[in-house]
Amino acid sequence: MKIKMVGPVRPQIQTIISVVVPVYNDSRGIAATLHALFRQRYPGDRFEIIVVDNNSTDQTFAVIEKIAAVFSGNIIVAKEPVQSSYAARNTGIRLASGRYLAFIDANMTVPEDWLEKGVACLDQGRGDYIGCRIRVVPGWGSENPGIYERYHMAIGFPVADYMKHDGYAPTACLFVAKKVIERCGGFDPELFSGGDVEFGTRVQDAGFVQYYDADNVMNYPARATWHALVKKQKRVVSGQIALRRKFPGRFACNRVKDVLVWGIQIFPVVSPWVLKKIRHPAKDVFQKFVIFYLLRLYTCWLKFSHRCWF
C-alpha cells in the first residue's frame, strides 16, 4: 500500500476525530466532499481527514492530491489496492489517530457544523455508535430533478429505521468511538456490500449504545438514471445474499417466511410506509410506484437467479 502525506501535519496528540473518506473513480464527488470538510467550524488542529483511493482508474487520485495540497489542516492521502470500500475504510482506520472516527462517502456534502455535532454527541455519551440523518438532494447541478431523482429523494435513506429494526447505520453517515473498533474489529473486507450491516450488528451484539442523531444532517446526491437505481439495487441485494451465505448463524433464514415474503413481493402492492413516501407530489405517485415495483421485481429475479428466497 502506497501512502502519501499531503499538507502540514500537526502533533497527533491534538487529534480528536479522524474523518475517513473512501473513493473510487469519482473525482467530482470527492472534490465536493473535501471542500465541505475544509469548511468545518471544528478546530482544524483537532481533526484529520484520511482520503483512501480504492484503486481508481481515472483522474481521481490526481484530483485528490491537487485539492489536498491547499488544505491548511491535517490530511492523509492513501491508496488501497484491494477493490473493496470496506478494505479502504479499514486502511483509514489503521491510519487514524483520533479517539473518534467519522465515515462519509465521497459524493456527500455536509454543513459546517457536522463535525461539531458529531463530536458533541459522542462526548455527551449519547452513544458510542452514532448514525446521522441523510437527506437525498438533487444531483450535481440539477435544477429540475427528473423522475428518477424525485423517486430517490422520496424514498431516501431511512437511517432511523435501519438502526431501530436492523441494528446498523450506513457507513456513509457514521460516527464511532475508536474503542468500538478496538473491541469489535473493523469492517469485513471480503464483502462488496452489506459490510455496514455486519459491522453494526456486531457492535450491537457487543453491547455498545447506538444512537440516531436526527439533528446532524448530511446531503446525498440523488441517483438520476434508471441504470443508477438498478446498479444500487443489485449491489444491495448481492450484499444481503452474501451476508446470509457467509454468516448463516447471525443472519439466519426462515425458509417458510422467506418464501411467503418473496411471493408477496411479486404482486403490485405497497406498504403504507412506501405509499406515504411516494405520494408527494400527487402527480408523481404513479410513476414512482412503477419504479418501486419494477425494482422490486428485479430484486425478486436476482434472488431467484441466486437460489435465494428471502
Side-chain angles (χ1 to χ4, degrees):
M1 177 179 64
K2 178 183 178 182
I3 301 173
K4 182 170 183 177
M5 308 291 288
V6 181
V9 179
R10 297 168 180 165
Q12 296 299 328
I13 57 172
Q14 297 185 69
T15 303
I16 304 298
I17 185 163
S18 304
V19 184
V20 179
V21 194
V23 59
Y24 172 72
N25 283 358
D26 191 358
S27 57
R28 182 169 61 175
I30 191 62
T33 300
L34 286 178
H35 285 305
L37 293 176
F38 293 171
R39 292 192 294 268
Q40 292 299 295
R41 292 202 306 247
Y42 197 75
D45 61 345
R46 297 197 175 187
F47 78 94
E48 64 186 4
I49 300 170
I50 304 172
V51 187
V52 184
D53 181 85
N54 197 197
N55 203 27
S56 294
T57 57
D58 61 1
Q59 296 300 309
T60 294
F61 190 71
V63 169
I64 295 170
E65 289 186 299
K66 182 178 179 180
I67 296 174
V70 303
F71 182 48
S72 59
N74 298 338
I75 187 163
I76 300 171
V77 179
K79 283 189 174 182
E80 172 51 65
V82 176
Q83 198 65 60
S84 162
S85 66
Y86 302 114
R89 291 183 179 97
N90 286 342
T91 295
I93 289 171
R94 287 193 294 271
L95 296 172
S97 59
R99 69 170 182 263
Y100 301 140
L101 292 102
F103 297 93
I104 180 174
D105 280 0
N107 58 351
M108 299 180 69
T109 57
V110 289
E112 295 177 356
D113 59 355
W114 175 66
L115 275 179
E116 277 185 345
K117 287 183 175 180
V119 172
C121 200
L122 289 161
D123 278 344
Q124 292 166 9
R126 298 184 189 178
D128 305 299
Y129 175 104
I130 311 294
C132 301
R133 180 161 67 93
I134 295 180
R135 176 173 54 203
V136 182
V137 298
W140 309 118
S142 179
E143 297 181 359
N144 185 25
I147 183 58
Y148 299 115
E149 286 177 287
R150 297 199 299 274
Y151 169 81
H152 193 193
M153 291 164 66
I155 294 298
F157 275 90
V159 179
D161 292 334
Y162 295 155
M163 296 190 71
K164 180 179 180 181
H165 301 296
D166 302 312
Y168 82 99
T171 41
C173 63
L174 180 63
F175 283 86
V176 64
K178 198 168 188 178
K179 64 181 181 180
V180 173
I181 304 287
E182 292 170 347
R183 179 172 172 185
C184 300
F187 299 97
D188 188 330
E190 295 181 357
L191 293 173
F192 179 71
S193 180
D196 46 5
V197 182
E198 192 276 329
F199 176 71
T201 54
R202 198 168 359 118
V203 171
Q204 187 180 60
D205 291 344
F208 287 103
V209 177
Q210 297 182 334
Y211 178 78
Y212 172 63
D213 189 358
D215 294 327
N216 203 357
V217 182
M218 306 172 69
N219 298 316
Y220 189 100
R223 286 171 169 80
T225 65
W226 171 250
H227 174 74
L229 290 174
V230 169
K231 184 178 179 181
K232 178 195 174 184
Q233 194 74 0
K234 182 177 181 180
R235 178 174 55 80
V236 171
V237 175
S238 298
Q240 292 172 348
I241 293 171
L243 287 176
R244 283 283 186 97
R245 290 182 170 170
K246 185 171 183 179
F247 305 102
R250 292 173 56 201
F251 300 96
C253 63
N254 181 316
R255 184 55 57 87
V256 174
K257 180 181 177 180
D258 288 345
V259 172
L260 286 174
V261 171
W262 188 89
I264 292 172
Q265 288 180 335
I266 295 176
F267 296 97
V269 294
V270 297
S271 68
W273 178 87
V274 173
L275 185 60
K276 181 180 179 181
K277 290 279 188 179
I278 67 176
R279 69 184 181 185
H280 299 293
K283 67 176 183 178
D284 285 343
V285 170
F286 180 72
Q287 290 173 290
K288 291 174 184 173
F289 171 79
V290 170
I291 294 171
F292 177 84
Y293 182 53
L294 290 177
L295 287 173
R296 197 163 70 178
L297 288 179
Y298 177 65
T299 297
C300 290
W301 180 83
L302 282 174
K303 292 177 179 179
F304 177 77
S305 65
H306 288 85
R307 298 182 182 179
C308 291
W309 299 98
F310 64 90

